[in-house]
Structures are given as C-alpha cells and as structure tokens.
Amino acid sequence: MRTVILNPDKNGIEEAAKLLKKGGVVAIPTETVYGLAADALNKEAVKNIFRAKGRPSDNPLIIHTYSLEAAKALVKRIPDKAKKLADKFWPGPLTMIMEKSDMVPKETSAGLDSIAIRVPACQTALDLMRSSELFLAAPSANISGKPSPTSAEHVINDMYGKVDGILKGEDCKVGIESTIISLLDDKVTLLRPGRITVEQLQEEVGAVIIDKAVEFKPDSTEKVLSPGMKYKHYSPDAKVILVKADKDKYINFVNSLKNGDEKVLSLCYEEEKEHINVNKLILGKSNDYEQMSKNLFAMLRKADDLKASTVYVHSPLAKGVGLALYNRLIRAAGFEVIDLEE
C-alpha cells in the first residue's frame, strides 16, 4: 500500500480528511499515543484498522470526537456522572464507556452494546475531526500487542506500507493511553488506568470500582469492555519480567544476572543507574511519574533496538499514575513477576 506522509498543517489535515472520507486509515497524533484512525461509522474502514494492526476483532475500539455535544449521537444517553467528568477532563486522556446508539456498527464496538468515547486534547486531532466531519475510531497506531507509538518515527516503523497516510506531529505529551472507565448501570468502574487517576475521579463522582483486570489477568473466555484488558499488550520482542523490590534488592538482583550476557537489560530508575552493572535503560526518576509515562513505550522499543533478550523492569508502585505504569508493564510481561518483597 502507498502511504502518504503528511505534515500537521492546513494542507496536511485537509488531505488526511479526504483519505478518511474515502474509507482510508490514517495514523494521527494525540496527547496520549498515536492513533490509527478511520471513520468509526464505516464498517469497511473499521475492518481496515483491524487488518493493519493485526488486531483481534473482539477487542473494542475507542471513538474519538471533538465535543460532548457531538458524542450524544453515539450513545443512548449520557449519564450525569459522564457529564460531570467531561466538564472536568475533556478534552483530555479520559475515555468513557456508555450504551451505544444504533448508528455505531458492531465492528467498532466488537459486538458489544456499549461504546468507548473520548475527546482528545490534541489540536491536530481536533482539527482533523472538524475538517472531516467524522467520528474517528482510533486504537494505538502500532502492530497489535507491541509497545504503543509515542512519536511519528515509531508509527512509520510499524505502519508504513500498511495504511493510507501518517499525519506527523510532535511526540505525545502524556505517553500512555487514556484512562478508561465504564458508566454502565450508573456505576463508575475503572477498566484501564491512565494519567487521570482513581483519586481524581473520586474527587468528582465519589466511589470508583477498580476492575480486577487492571492488575490481574482476566479469564481467556471473558468478554471485555475495554481495549488493553484481555490480550498481552505493549510488549517488545524481548522478554519482559517485572521485578517487585526496593532499590537495594533490585540492584543486587539484576547485577547477579549478568554472567557475561550482554543481552540482559535493566529498565531502572535514574537513582539506580550508577549502581547497576548490566546494560540499562532509564525509565525516569522513581517519583516522576509524568516522565516515566513519556519514556515507557520508547524504552521498551529501545530494548529491541539494542537486541535485548530479557528486560528486567523495576516495578513502579501501583498507585496514582503508577497504577497505569504497572498496568502496562504487567501486560508487557505477560503477567510474569519476580516478587522480592515477600
């Protein structure tokens, strides 16, 4: 397939809009990660997203739009809690699941009666939706199961020749996918953590239920409501192992693994790098979750560039934004954890 590389200016956005209106697939920037966009109401266009990514068809997509008012057409009703959260967090990295309207095809919702919606905080994405006058289904613009793309270079590496266009933009400011909550049955349930934390949600709407799949592997037969819940995700070619430990125990553990193996890699914190003797990549300072979020997927991709065989990741604390990092890493590791805290 011929892939057109487009600049995020007026001409580039207009050209991307033309491709989307014809049923094409275009990679676009957002503040979270780059998305693989197509007309959410066009069944064939949506199928092309799944083909380009190699994504399982029972993994639902998120629909992106430019306002809460526009989103009303996609759902049967907007609960009061959704309105309150939209007022606070939209545009931004929060996705809300509600009962879908009949206009949304089953291909977009993976056969579910619900649909996930968000308004991104990225001017290029918003301008594209207004120019095209389309709702855009847009999962992450990577090969299914691999680390999400946070730069145009990542997208070009994964998707060139597989999609109609790539709309280049800046590196993503957030770096991890949006927080996903369900508002079905008027309850707020966290399905995927992100930059918008449980604590922030609680401040607005009170009680928030945390789905067990946020930290634990769901049953393989279970039908999931949200992207990123069921399958192994975010994983480089290298084997990822998550290590729960304090600073000293983690350093001692990874240093004991070297044995001349240059393919063993540590993904560690800034404060640990001077003490670690194996090859290493730096996730960020241990208390700087914003920086770690921006770095996470780029570092997992870098591990493959370095031809690492195994990456031992120092597990972040699973609270606040750290819960989002832990959620991505536990899936990248295929739920394989070494717990030195026991």
Side-chain angles (χ1 to χ4, degrees):
M1 179 182 292
R2 178 174 177 265
T3 300
V4 181
I5 306 296
L6 302 167
N7 291 319
D9 54 19
K10 182 180 179 181
N11 289 339
I13 288 169
E14 288 178 354
E15 184 61 30
K18 290 177 183 177
L19 291 171
L20 291 167
K21 285 179 179 180
K22 292 177 181 178
V25 177
V26 178
I28 66 171
T30 79
E31 81 279 22
T32 55
V33 299
Y34 271 75
L36 205 57
D39 179 358
L41 305 185
N42 181 327
K43 297 178 183 179
E44 291 306 314
V46 169
K47 288 178 183 177
N48 287 335
I49 291 177
F50 285 94
R51 292 189 189 104
K53 283 179 62 69
R55 181 185 178 98
S57 61
D58 63 344
N59 199 4
L61 303 177
I62 294 172
I63 296 182
H64 295 66
T65 185
Y66 54 83
S67 71
L68 178 63
E69 186 65 27
K72 289 179 180 178
L74 299 169
V75 296
K76 290 189 173 179
R77 71 181 185 92
I78 299 201
D80 290 340
K81 289 179 180 178
K83 294 176 184 176
K84 190 171 185 179
L85 290 168
D87 286 343
K88 179 69 175 180
F89 297 115
W90 278 2
L94 176 66
T95 295
M96 294 190 278
I97 293 176
M98 294 170 269
E99 191 175 2
K100 78 179 183 70
S101 69
D102 293 337
M103 75 184 299
V104 179
K106 65 180 181 180
E107 286 80 4
T108 305
S109 67
L112 299 171
D113 294 326
S114 58
I115 194 65
I117 304 170
R118 91 173 183 101
V119 177
C122 172
Q123 196 58 52
T124 300
L126 294 171
D127 289 346
L128 177 60
M129 285 184 282
R130 290 191 175 96
S131 177
S132 65
E133 298 182 323
L134 297 174
F135 298 113
L136 297 180
S140 55
N142 58 293
I143 297 167
S144 187
K146 295 302 179 183
S148 298
T150 55
S151 73
E153 181 184 2
H154 295 161
V155 180
I156 291 168
N157 288 341
D158 282 12
M159 289 292 137
Y160 192 85
K162 298 179 182 178
V163 298
D164 298 282
I166 296 173
L167 188 58
K168 293 177 68 176
E170 297 180 348
D171 289 357
C172 300
K173 294 179 179 178
V174 174
I176 53 174
E177 298 86 354
S178 61
T179 302
I180 299 180
I181 58 171
S182 167
L183 289 141
L184 302 175
D185 301 323
D186 291 320
K187 297 176 181 178
V188 180
T189 302
L190 179 74
L191 302 179
R192 184 178 74 187
R195 179 62 65 81
I196 306 299
T197 65
V198 172
E199 293 78 10
Q200 288 176 292
L201 296 169
Q202 289 171 335
E203 286 181 10
E204 301 302 318
V205 295
V208 174
I209 301 165
I210 301 177
D211 192 283
K212 63 181 181 180
V214 167
E215 296 188 60
F216 303 100
K217 187 176 183 179
D219 188 287
S220 60
T221 62
E222 188 176 345
K223 193 147 191 169
V224 298
L225 294 174
S226 163
M229 290 180 72
K230 187 173 181 181
Y231 298 94
K232 186 177 180 181
H233 267 58
Y234 323 115
S235 189
D237 294 334
K239 182 179 179 64
V240 175
I241 299 175
L242 202 57
V243 181
K244 291 184 177 181
D246 63 25
K247 177 182 175 181
D248 291 338
K249 286 183 179 178
Y250 176 78
I251 290 169
N252 290 336
F253 173 77
V254 293
N255 283 345
S256 72
L257 295 170
K258 187 171 184 181
N259 296 325
D261 187 353
E262 296 298 324
K263 292 187 176 182
V264 169
L265 187 67
S266 164
L267 183 51
C268 63
Y269 302 134
E270 181 76 29
E271 303 94 314
E272 299 165 338
K273 66 180 183 179
E274 299 301 328
H275 307 285
I276 290 175
N277 297 327
V278 299
N279 290 334
K280 51 192 169 281
L281 293 171
I282 311 305
L283 191 55
K285 292 183 178 179
S286 61
N287 61 352
D288 189 344
Y289 290 104
E290 288 193 13
Q291 190 61 45
M292 285 194 281
S293 297
K294 290 179 183 179
N295 289 343
L296 176 61
F297 292 134
M299 291 301 100
L300 291 177
R301 286 173 174 266
K302 185 69 173 175
D304 281 343
D305 292 342
L306 295 173
K307 308 298 183 185
S309 61
T310 310
V311 183
Y312 292 91
V313 185
H314 196 169
S315 175
L317 294 176
K319 63 179 182 179
V321 180
L323 180 61
L325 294 167
Y326 181 81
N327 170 268
R328 304 316 192 269
L329 286 165
I330 196 71
R331 280 164 170 74
F335 296 89
E336 184 169 348
V337 180
I338 295 173
D339 192 344
L340 302 179
E341 295 175 341
E342 294 180 336

